[in-house]
Amino acid sequence: MSRFMTALTRAMAILGGVVLTVLIILVCVSVSGRGGNTLAHWGWLEQNAPALSDAILATGIGPLPGDFELVEAGIAFAIFSFLPLAQLYSGHATVDVFTAKFSRRFNAWLIAFWEVLLTALILLITLRLAVGMMEKIDNGEITFILQFPVWWAYAASLLPACVASVVAVYCAVGRVAEAALRRPFLPTGEGAVH
């Protein structure tokens, strides 16, 4: 089961990384187009080199329409895609100023408690995302510029959120088992300890 969860979380993170890379390229192209369009409309260029200004504008240079709509949907997908890997490897930030003085057993139960609480939160977020998607389907809301249904973005984020929920339940059970049986079951990462 551990190999399956590791493969699943890594696949989601890679997919999220691919989407994030595409979004970065999209933003770069859109900003470059916006800059080129601004240059073509620059008063000095229009007065002193109107042919050049017209030639730049004739290329159709400008920002990509609806770029922010795609970025908004894609970033949500990427965030949910990275969540399972962070959950599996305990990659969330922790502050252990006070807990460092407690016993290992106490800390193991404390980690299990927070893991169960975080799992409940991830399940709640996933449930609310599903409810939100159903509401967007029912009301037929579409984006302003690209005119695609808003529920598509919710559905895209729901897939990795469901994976995060499965991984969270697996981790919660694993952390409770680790605390009760005093032996490791889950992979550990360095996390972001402060």
Side-chain angles (χ1 to χ4, degrees), residues 37-95:
N37 189 281
T38 300
L39 174 68
H41 283 98
W42 182 30
W44 184 88
L45 189 63
E46 287 178 329
Q47 288 177 358
N48 296 317
L52 178 59
S53 176
D54 291 341
I56 293 173
L57 290 173
T59 65
I61 195 166
L64 296 176
D67 57 346
F68 62 92
E69 293 172 352
L70 294 173
V71 169
E72 184 178 29
I75 289 294
F77 175 83
I79 289 169
F80 280 110
S81 294
F82 299 135
L83 185 59
L85 189 65
Q87 186 73 15
L88 184 63
Y89 285 95
S90 299
H92 304 294
T94 60
V95 180

Side-chain angles (χ1 to χ4, degrees), residues 137-151:
I137 290 172
D138 289 343
N139 70 22
E141 186 178 342
I142 57 174
T143 62
F144 182 69
I145 295 174
L146 294 179
Q147 302 286 302
F148 70 81
V150 172
W151 72 265

Side-chain angles (χ1 to χ4, degrees), residues 13-27 71 74-79 82:
I14 289 169
L15 186 58
V18 168
V19 168
L20 196 56
T21 302
V22 168
L23 291 176
I24 290 168
I25 292 168
L26 175 101
V27 168
V71 169
I75 289 294
F77 175 83
I79 289 169
F82 299 135

